[in-house]
Amino acid sequence: MSIQVTSVSKLYKEQKALDAISFLAKKGEIIGFLGPNGAGKSTMMKILTGFIKPNSGDVLVNEINVLQNPIEAQKTIGYLPEHNPLYAEMYVREYLQFRAQIFKVDNNQIESCIEKVGLTDEAHKRIYQLSKGYQQRVGIAAAILHNPSVLILDEPTTGLDPNQLVEIRKLIKELGKEKTVLLSTHIMQEVEAICDRVLIIKKGKILADQSLHVLQNSTQQVIIILFDKTILNNDFKVLPNVVSIQKEKESWILTFDAKEDMRPKLFDFAQEKGLKILELSAQHKSLEILFREITS
Ligand code: ADP
């Protein structure tokens, strides 16, 4: 197991930032850590990388206990902190050489990292002269210099323009082929674009741990429907394959687990009950729906 987090809690004074969080990450997975601001993502990442200690719980990275042996664990972890702190006055190559010295990394690793993250044409420039997207690449290059097998990226795409976003996501996906990646974001599309799995976190608790593959192949369908007359929750009992029934203002949000399209069944249902359908929309269960279900 690359990452093993067991019942980790963290308090900042009386505020609970993490509340008994547990999860596992297998080798080679790209996991999206998705949640609103203040959910506890950065706190979890700082604990995973040995920068702060939790109040309780256990953290193993590559079977090394991070709380007892942070330095040993850090040798196997690459970390891109939020806001990517860089020395802007330094030249790209000079900065990476400086980082390489700290990690006692061979100089020839620097050139291969520069190439891997696509910085070859920019490596002679000062960091402040680079665009935000290229600065992110410098941060990622610095994080992978010592060839870690686990990569922790805290909001790696914040502040990037749409083209840079695509480029950095491509780079992360590429790195994910050989490393376990945990990346935090509050953007659902980002998770859908790069991750194998999503952990949804809110107020320090994990509310969902779901494989994207399972989600994308789910037979669940969500139908939002508005009738001309009021009906009761119980009236839907005659319908097959119902998973959940929710009401949002005047509309009903019905989740079905069925291979067949449930819309014709709803038309028959409306007719039998003497109802007229004023609006109807159907979607397959997506990350967006899951997110709405569990965080609303
Ligand atoms: P996220 O990364 O999901 O935005 P954080 O881990 O940064 O969330 O924060 C979780 C909660 O802990 C927030 O309510 C935040 O205000 C609080 N918090 C984070 N760092 C500190 C700190 N150093 N001191 C006090 N409270 C903090």
Side-chain angles (χ1 to χ4, degrees):
M1 218 38 94
S2 294
I3 301 174
Q4 244 175 303
V5 172
T6 314
S7 205
V8 163
S9 292
K10 174 71 186 174
L11 287 161
Y12 292 111
K13 298 209 172 113
E14 64 274 11
Q15 183 177 4
K16 210 165 211 176
L18 295 176
D19 190 359
I21 280 196
S22 300
F23 66 92
L24 302 171
K26 284 189 282 219
K27 268 199 185 106
E29 273 188 308
I30 305 185
I31 300 182
F33 211 30
L34 181 70
N37 284 331
K41 305 183 293 295
S42 292
T43 302
M44 187 65 243
M45 291 182 148
K46 284 179 200 155
I47 292 173
L48 268 171
T49 48
F51 284 92
I52 59 171
K53 295 233 183 279
N55 294 79
S56 57
D58 266 323
V59 183
L60 300 184
V61 173
N62 293 316
E63 317 298 332
I64 305 165
N65 188 316
V66 179
L67 313 180
Q68 287 165 9
N69 298 311
I71 308 276
E72 277 312 298
Q74 281 164 0
K75 287 181 187 164
T76 73
I77 304 171
Y79 177 38
L80 177 69
E82 200 181 3
H83 310 308
N84 185 15
L86 296 168
Y87 294 108
E89 290 294 325
M90 281 181 137
Y91 294 98
V92 172
R93 190 171 273 112
E94 180 193 17
Y95 174 71
L96 293 175
Q97 282 161 352
F98 161 70
R99 293 280 302 225
Q101 272 171 13
I102 300 175
F103 285 105
K104 301 193 174 61
V105 168
D106 213 64
N107 260 357
N108 58 25
Q109 271 287 81
I110 298 172
E111 293 311 311
S112 84
C113 285
I114 286 175
E115 203 187 308
K116 200 176 259 178
V117 303
L119 272 174
T120 309
D121 294 339
E122 313 288 319
H124 64 285
K125 294 186 184 166
R126 287 188 197 266
I127 292 172
Y128 74 80
Q129 294 173 319
L130 304 183
S131 68
K132 179 96 176 48
Y134 276 94
Q135 289 186 0
Q136 282 305 83
R137 288 172 197 247
V138 177
I140 293 172
I144 61 170
L145 267 179
H146 57 301
N147 198 21
S149 62
V150 170
L151 209 49
I152 310 278
L153 308 173
D154 198 352
E155 306 219 354
T157 60
T158 302
L160 301 185
D161 72 32
N163 291 332
Q164 296 168 338
L165 208 88
V166 171
E167 290 296 314
I168 294 292
R169 285 179 185 167
K170 214 161 88 186
L171 172 60
I172 295 171
K173 190 129 185 130
E174 198 54 39
L175 291 169
K177 286 185 185 160
E178 52 184 41
K179 299 181 193 301
T180 305
V181 180
L182 181 71
L183 73 103
S184 70
T185 179
H186 50 265
I187 308 163
M188 269 174 261
Q189 293 84 335
E190 185 140 298
V191 173
E192 281 175 330
I194 28 185
C195 299
D196 305 308
R197 216 172 106 204
V198 63
L199 295 173
I200 300 178
I201 173 172
K202 193 183 172 191
K203 291 188 181 154
K205 283 195 162 85
I206 290 183
L207 301 186
D209 180 347
Q210 175 93 59
S211 140
L212 264 286
H213 180 74
V214 169
L215 200 61
Q216 278 149 6
N217 288 297
S218 163
T219 49
Q220 290 202 5
Q221 50 190 290
V222 179
I223 298 182
I224 303 173
I225 191 161
L226 175 67
F227 298 109
D228 64 334
K229 289 194 210 112
T230 312
I231 58 165
L232 302 172
N233 205 311
N234 263 348
D235 293 329
F236 293 107
K237 271 193 174 156
V238 294
L239 289 167
N241 311 318
V242 179
V243 175
S244 75
I245 301 167
Q246 286 170 278
K247 198 166 185 199
E248 203 172 273
K249 294 188 184 144
E250 293 308 307
S251 298
W252 291 93
I253 304 168
L254 309 171
T255 306
F256 299 94
D257 195 351
K259 285 207 176 80
E260 61 174 319
D261 186 350
M262 291 303 292
R263 287 175 298 181
K265 288 253 179 323
L266 275 168
F267 279 102
D268 294 344
F269 168 83
Q271 206 170 26
E272 278 162 27
K273 298 265 174 205
L275 301 165
K276 288 196 175 62
I277 296 174
L278 303 180
E279 279 173 26
L280 184 146
S281 75
Q283 294 168 291
H284 264 283
K285 179 125 174 178
S286 63
L287 184 59
E288 197 173 333
I289 291 170
L290 175 74
F291 191 79
R292 199 176 55 197
E293 264 176 21
I294 62 175
T295 57
S296 61

